[in-house]
Amino acid sequence: MDIPAPLRQLPNQLTIARIAAVPVLCLFIGMGNGWLRWLALIIYVAAAVTDWLDGFLARRMNLSSDLGKMLDPIADKLLVGGQIVIFAWTHDFSGLSLIPALAILFREIFISGLREFMGKRDISVPVTFLAKWKTTVQLVALFFVIHQSLW
């Protein structure tokens, strides 16, 4: 069985690994406050680093693909959204801290819907530099939430 070329590319493999890490992270965080949360933190950091690394490698190795362009934002949304949901479930997020969490989820869903809607009209809604910083800030903030939950 031949594996399609885009799936053999390292940047896409890193993105797929990030997607695969999300349920593992959610499971480890949801199972308690012990060594599984430390392991979740390590996996989370690795997954967050691949968000930068896959794009860097795709540009550096000239391996940009339609599959990667589709999967990368999905992986980001799953990583951020999965962590927000599991933190709400474990009560690491509760009360007023749920307001920014919900705002993040609403924004992610709205922008994804907008991109799909505009795409049907052949209007591109490109990812901006500001959006890349937004993702970085979200990933760093969630790192601190996981880290804080260890104590």
Side-chain angles (χ1 to χ4, degrees), residues 45-89:
V45 168
V49 168
T50 67
D51 181 38
W52 171 81
L53 186 60
D54 61 11
F56 173 79
L57 291 175
R59 288 184 298 277
R60 174 74 82 168
M61 301 166 74
N62 198 25
L63 292 175
S64 288
S65 69
D66 289 338
L67 179 66
K69 289 175 186 174
M70 177 196 68
L71 285 181
D72 187 64
I74 291 171
D76 294 346
K77 286 167 184 41
L78 289 172
L79 185 59
V80 170
Q83 298 314 293
I84 288 172
V85 169
I86 199 67
F87 287 135
W89 185 69

Side-chain angles (χ1 to χ4, degrees), residues 9-57:
Q9 296 174 348
L10 180 58
N12 291 339
Q13 291 173 347
L14 290 172
T15 301
I16 292 167
R18 189 161 74 249
I19 292 169
V22 172
V24 175
L25 284 167
C26 290
L27 180 67
F28 287 0
I29 289 170
M31 289 180 69
N33 288 331
W35 61 274
L36 285 176
R37 286 230 177 169
W38 278 104
L39 189 54
L41 182 65
I42 293 166
I43 294 169
Y44 179 80
V45 168
V49 168
T50 67
D51 181 38
W52 171 81
L53 186 60
D54 61 11
F56 173 79
L57 291 175

Side-chain angles (χ1 to χ4, degrees), residues 109-131:
I109 292 167
F110 178 78
I111 295 297
S112 295
L114 178 64
R115 283 202 170 101
E116 184 176 337
F117 177 78
M118 299 302 263
K120 290 179 182 177
R121 285 159 177 71
D122 290 328
I123 300 171
S124 175
V125 182
V127 175
T128 65
F129 186 72
L130 182 60

Side-chain angles (χ1 to χ4, degrees), residues 124-141:
S124 175
V125 182
V127 175
T128 65
F129 186 72
L130 182 60
K132 290 180 183 281
W133 272 103
K134 181 258 328 164
T135 300
T136 301
V137 168
Q138 287 176 344
L139 293 175
V140 169

